[in-house]
Amino acid sequence: MTYPIVITGASGWFGRTALSTYEYLYGPEAIRRNIKAYASSQKSIDFGSPHGPIIAEPLEAVVDLPQPFAILHLAFLTRDKVSSTGFDKYVSTNKWITSQIIHLITKYPNTPLISISSGAASVYDHSQLDLENDPYGTLKKTEENLILSHSISRLTVLLRVYGATGRFIVAPHRFAIGSFLLQAISNGPVTIESKIPVWRSYIDVACLMTYSFSLMHDRTRTDKLKINACTDIVSLLDLARMITSEFNLPSPIHSFESAKSSDIYTADPAPFLAELFRYNITPTLIQDQITTTYKGVSEFPNNKCA
């Protein structure tokens, strides 16, 4: 490979998973030769490698890079950062991140781009953007539109994630699977706080990164794809039951006030499963996703984005 693969957001959950996955697939020499990592500032990124960390450059330097082999765009401030950074700073920072990517792909119009988006953007596929009330979903949808408008001849893939699992989970208490595992590690009980049934789509982030690297190495494709990146649809009650069974705990505690309404944040996994099949990638079973996420929660209780 003459030119590097660019990975933005390399110090976050998905970024560290991307680094770990690439090293697993291609080896420790390849990752240090072929990957150019970018983060919010120059920093050393520990991704659990026995060969040590790698150094990420600040994202503003990405625009000066010679033409890369491909771009894996993972950088974005997540929804929970709105309150900690403030609305204006949150919006301006994410807009700046998007502008860096748009600058890069405009400069190199044939370079393949794979961008991790969110199911939150799907709300605006057929409705008006609402920055004031939903800055995260609105900014994700805006970034999708900008990327597509600047992609004519390149392979461009937008992967919408709904629920994620994996070893490098950050702030596990924020996510149902992480919260259930934390409760299980403390010997339970596992409690579902929601008063209505909840359904979620899940993807193992390592599986997602395996697909991303396989896709960018397929130089026969110039598709413009927007894919819901999920392999499983699971109710939180079933998820809690699987976790309590694994830990030999009593049945999860829940008190649904009504079964007539529900909280559904899911997507059809069939198109993404077809993509995995195309590259002979076996989707991670939900039970194995629980096991991998448990390792992350238990081994890295203070796991944070560097």
Side-chain angles (χ1 to χ4, degrees):
M1 185 183 301
T2 305
Y3 304 114
I5 295 170
V6 167
I7 299 179
T8 69
S11 63
W13 172 4
F14 283 39
R16 293 169 70 198
T17 306
L19 297 174
S20 177
T21 302
Y22 193 89
E23 182 173 86
Y24 173 79
L25 293 172
Y26 303 104
E29 293 183 2
I31 190 173
R32 287 157 179 83
R33 180 180 65 247
N34 299 337
I35 297 296
K36 191 70 173 176
Y38 292 89
S40 57
S41 60
Q42 186 179 65
K43 61 185 66 175
S44 175
I45 301 177
D46 178 6
F47 58 101
S49 170
H51 303 279
I54 69 167
I55 303 299
E57 297 299 323
L59 183 58
E60 57 262 29
V62 75
V63 297
D64 299 322
L65 186 73
Q67 182 172 6
F69 178 81
I71 302 163
L72 179 57
H73 175 41
L74 311 175
F76 211 80
L77 295 185
T78 50
R79 190 189 301 273
D80 61 297
K81 297 296 193 299
V82 178
S83 58
S84 59
T85 62
F87 181 87
D88 291 342
K89 181 66 173 178
Y90 179 85
V91 170
S92 63
T93 299
N94 276 329
K95 285 185 174 181
W96 178 81
I97 291 171
T98 297
S99 72
Q100 296 298 98
I101 292 302
I102 297 304
H103 183 107
L104 185 64
I105 66 176
T106 301
K107 187 176 180 181
Y108 301 117
N110 298 316
T111 298
L113 170 66
I114 300 170
S115 179
I116 302 301
S117 189
S118 169
S122 66
V123 174
Y124 303 106
D125 285 345
H126 306 290
S127 63
Q128 188 173 0
L129 297 175
D130 187 359
L131 182 64
E132 182 177 352
N133 294 305
D134 182 18
Y136 178 72
T138 296
L139 291 169
K140 274 293 188 183
K141 179 62 176 178
T142 300
E143 182 176 83
E144 286 185 352
N145 291 341
L146 285 169
I147 286 173
L148 290 174
S149 69
H150 287 79
S151 299
I152 298 173
S153 57
R154 80 176 83 249
L155 168 69
T156 304
V157 182
L158 305 175
L159 296 169
R160 286 179 168 176
V161 173
Y162 287 72
T165 65
R167 173 186 173 190
F168 294 103
I169 185 172
V170 174
H173 63 278
R174 288 184 46 237
F175 307 98
I177 189 170
S179 175
F180 293 165
L181 285 168
L182 287 171
Q183 294 175 60
I185 289 169
S186 300
N187 295 317
V190 174
T191 302
I192 300 173
E193 299 293 342
S194 175
K195 299 303 180 183
I196 59 175
V198 179
W199 295 80
R200 294 290 183 263
S201 291
Y202 281 104
I203 180 66
D204 170 26
V205 181
C207 178
L208 182 63
M209 295 306 150
T210 299
Y211 168 71
S212 297
F213 291 125
S214 298
L215 184 60
M216 69 177 60
H217 283 88
D218 182 354
R219 306 311 259 193
T220 68
R221 298 182 68 171
T222 56
D223 311 41
K224 309 295 179 293
L225 300 177
K226 188 183 295 179
I227 305 176
N228 294 316
C230 56
T231 57
D232 297 271
I233 298 177
V234 184
S235 75
L236 292 196
L237 180 56
D238 284 342
L239 181 66
R241 284 171 173 162
M242 284 185 272
I243 290 172
T244 55
S245 175
E246 183 72 22
F247 283 82
N248 295 314
L249 294 171
S251 296
I253 297 172
H254 67 283
S255 179
F256 297 149
E257 295 176 350
S258 172
K260 294 181 179 180
S261 61
S262 57
D263 177 354
I264 301 174
Y265 184 54
T266 64
D268 179 9
F272 186 68
L273 289 171
E275 283 289 312
L276 294 183
F277 179 78
R278 178 171 183 163
Y279 294 102
N280 298 312
I281 299 169
T282 302
T284 309
L285 297 174
I286 189 65
Q287 292 85 352
D288 293 332
Q289 294 184 50
I290 291 171
T291 300
T292 304
T293 308
Y294 163 72
K295 290 179 181 177
V297 172
S298 59
E299 293 175 5
F300 305 96
N302 297 311
N303 205 6
K304 298 177 180 179
C305 296

